[in-house]
Amino acid sequence: MPDRPEIVCICGSARFVAEMSAANRDLTLAGVIVVAPAVFLRPEGQETDELITNEQKTALGALHLRRIDLADRVLVVNPGGYLGESTSREIDYAHATSKPVSFTDPT
């Protein structure tokens, strides 16, 4: 019996916020510690997707890799098998650091 709950890092495209939130809820209710990307919702009426600077986006990407470091395994939320560029990079990083990776949908 482990001395602490399993830690799972959720990865996935920002377009799947609802699906990542559902996975977070399900895992948490199952007794798992979940680390997941920060979610920045677009304010109502804002026409641009640019809520953060490129520098901030780079820093947030690096921060998410540290979340993977903390995790026992990675769960990729990928409805329809979709994997974006950032998520693919996170999967590659997880593999390089010997973290098990699973997917919600076939890739």
Side-chain angles (χ1 to χ4, degrees), residues 7-83:
I7 301 172
V8 174
C9 181
I10 293 177
C11 296
S13 171
R15 68 179 69 179
F16 302 128
V17 171
E19 292 88 344
M20 285 192 283
S21 179
N24 189 329
R25 181 195 63 236
D26 293 345
L27 289 166
T28 299
L29 290 174
V32 173
I33 296 171
V34 177
V35 289
V39 177
F40 299 99
L41 299 176
R42 185 189 331 183
E44 278 189 56
Q46 185 170 341
E47 294 183 12
T48 180
D49 287 331
E50 188 61 39
L51 294 177
I52 58 174
T53 66
N54 285 334
E55 183 178 276
Q56 289 169 324
K57 184 176 179 180
T58 298
L60 290 171
L63 183 61
H64 195 63
L65 297 182
R66 300 297 71 81
R67 289 184 185 103
I68 293 171
D69 289 338
L70 293 172
D72 298 314
R73 68 179 175 97
V74 171
L75 174 63
V76 179
V77 176
N78 64 321
Y82 177 82
L83 297 174

